[in-house]
Amino acid sequence: MMMSNSNFQAATIWLMMLLTTSFLPNEYNWMVHGFSSSNFYNKVVESSSSSSSSFTRSRSKTSLFSSNSNNNNNLSDSQSKGKLLVLGGTGFLGQTICKRATLEGYAVTSISRRGKPSPTEASEATLGSYFRKVDYRQGDARQFDTIANILKEGGYVGVIHCIGLLFDDDSGLGTYNRFVSGSGSIPDGSSSYDDITRLTAFNAIDATLAYVKESKEGGRLDSSNFPFVFSSAAEAGWPDVSGGQQIEKFLAPDWLKRYLKAKREVEAKLNEASPPLRPVIVRPSLIYSLDRPASYVPVGAFFVGNRIGLPFVDRPVTVQSLANAMVRSISRTSVRGVQRYKEIDALNQ
């Protein structure tokens, strides 16, 4: 689909503004703290409350900027809904997913290269008591057996893949991952989108298919609707919206094109695996957290782009609301396919 010259000029200005304020897809989150931004916060809430999602200001604070976490805070181990495998459970999004999942009553297993969160993150997590409940495993998801052997332990009712890499080695920006990653993760020198995004997700999909087949044959799994949740990116849907193809072709940097190519390949494979898998593909734009105010500038630019109606700009979501939506999609059997920010909002109701 084409767009007018005036819209294309507006899109160019918008994207250039984002690039100069560290425009990054959904793995983005600055670790910098320290400046007061209460006025900007109020403006963001007011803007979102008048948008098409029709949140009131008070509702935005509970549904848009956080998750509804009051219902399951006192769940005991005996109330477990089953086991949930989270790939990338020590990352910025992954840690929040693990916390949300334990609150929802799942027994959580996490796979990551680090094994456990850093001491600082672990201390903060312990305050929420969920850290001690997560079974943290150290392993490389680029190896099929790493995932398959854990699933063979049985009892799993869902898989969530949230392993992400913002800058690959070929981008020349790999050293900046420690600054833009919400968890401070440092990929090795050979890391690429093909390895970190595509290969780990392909391995997880194949291992899950084998697990479902074996479990059904053994009579241990009745469902032919096994949930697999993948964290993609809003920009992966650019070909489907007005102006998106032009933005990607003429304005997106090469590293972003490779990033999106890997995301789309995973989406395609996951859709091909249905059934028996139930694909849930979340496509957030920027993921942010209100306790990290340095992200407000690019986040604000996305809010503005979405607010003025640019079809290729999705509203940012908080890490809490995204994690909540991903976990809730496990038990909501009607949820499948692509979930953009409006669907993420709905899953938070």
Side-chain angles (χ1 to χ4, degrees):
M1 289 180 281
M2 301 296 291
M3 59 178 167
S4 68
N5 288 336
S6 60
N7 284 341
F8 187 78
Q9 291 170 355
T12 302
I13 295 171
W14 170 83
L15 187 58
M16 292 302 101
M17 177 173 63
L18 293 182
L19 290 172
T20 58
T21 56
S22 299
F23 159 54
L24 307 171
N26 67 58
E27 272 81 8
Y28 169 89
N29 194 276
W30 286 102
M31 296 297 290
V32 182
H33 297 257
F35 66 87
S36 173
S37 51
S38 59
N39 290 336
F40 181 79
Y41 165 78
N42 290 335
K43 289 183 181 296
V44 170
V45 177
E46 290 167 1
S47 173
S48 65
S49 67
S50 60
S51 68
S52 59
S53 57
S54 67
F55 286 98
T56 64
R57 178 169 175 173
S58 61
R59 191 172 185 81
S60 294
K61 289 184 179 180
T62 57
S63 297
L64 174 60
F65 293 117
S66 64
S67 59
N68 295 328
S69 58
N70 297 324
N71 297 332
N72 300 296
N73 287 346
N74 298 314
L75 285 169
S76 66
D77 292 338
S78 64
Q79 294 174 288
S80 175
K81 296 180 179 179
K83 295 165 69 175
L84 194 61
L85 179 60
V86 180
L87 291 94
T90 58
F92 172 59
L93 174 58
Q95 288 185 52
T96 311
I97 289 172
C98 288
K99 181 176 182 179
R100 184 68 245 171
T102 60
L103 293 174
E104 293 280 353
Y106 292 98
V108 179
T109 303
S110 163
I111 304 177
S112 68
R113 292 183 302 116
R114 291 192 292 171
K116 291 185 177 182
S118 68
T120 300
E121 294 167 337
S123 176
E124 294 174 355
T126 303
L127 295 176
S129 77
Y130 88 93
F131 176 70
R132 293 185 297 272
K133 298 181 180 180
V134 177
D135 180 9
Y136 287 104
R137 309 282 186 94
Q138 185 174 18
D140 189 345
R142 291 174 291 188
Q143 304 297 323
F144 172 83
D145 287 344
T146 299
I147 306 168
N149 288 338
I150 292 177
L151 286 172
K152 285 178 182 178
E153 297 170 6
Y156 287 94
V157 297
V159 174
I160 296 178
H161 183 286
C162 56
I163 297 175
L165 173 71
L166 184 57
F167 296 129
D168 68 357
D169 195 52
D170 291 340
S171 70
L173 302 170
T175 56
Y176 291 101
N177 279 298
R178 71 174 66 191
F179 303 112
V180 299
S181 168
S183 63
S185 178
I186 305 173
D188 59 49
S190 62
S191 295
S192 67
Y193 301 123
D194 188 66
D195 272 358
I196 301 302
T197 299
R198 188 195 64 81
L199 181 58
T200 63
F202 274 33
N203 283 343
I205 293 169
D206 289 338
T208 304
L209 285 170
Y211 167 72
V212 171
K213 180 180 179 181
E214 181 181 349
S215 298
K216 289 177 68 175
E217 290 175 350
R220 299 186 300 274
L221 187 68
D222 296 330
S223 175
S224 60
N225 203 27
F226 192 89
F228 189 108
V229 186
F230 174 63
S231 177
S232 187
E235 295 78 15
W238 272 349
D240 304 322
V241 299
S242 177
Q245 290 183 339
Q246 287 74 28
I247 292 295
E248 184 169 346
K249 182 177 180 180
F250 297 111
L251 298 178
D254 287 339
W255 64 263
L256 179 56
K257 294 176 181 178
R258 295 196 306 275
Y259 172 93
L260 296 177
K261 180 176 182 290
K263 295 285 191 183
R264 290 166 183 155
E265 288 179 355
V266 175
E267 289 188 8
K269 182 176 178 66
L270 185 53
N271 284 324
E272 290 171 359
S274 172
L277 301 191
R278 172 167 58 89
V280 178
I281 300 167
V282 293
R283 283 185 181 171
S285 59
L286 291 190
I287 304 171
Y288 70 104
S289 182
L290 288 176
D291 63 352
R292 300 179 181 189
S295 65
Y296 287 3
V297 174
V299 166
F302 270 71
F303 267 100
V304 170
N306 178 258
R307 185 74 178 88
I308 64 177
L310 293 178
F312 46 83
V313 182
D314 277 14
R315 196 198 67 214
V317 296
T318 63
V319 67
Q320 294 84 3
S321 63
L322 177 59
N324 194 39
M326 293 174 75
V327 171
R328 288 187 171 180
S329 70
I330 295 293
S331 61
R332 298 188 182 183
T333 57
S334 62
V335 177
R336 64 169 54 242
V338 172
Q339 311 292 306
R340 294 176 64 183
Y341 70 94
K342 291 182 180 179
E343 288 76 26
I344 292 170
D345 288 345
L347 281 164
N348 276 273
Q349 303 305 309

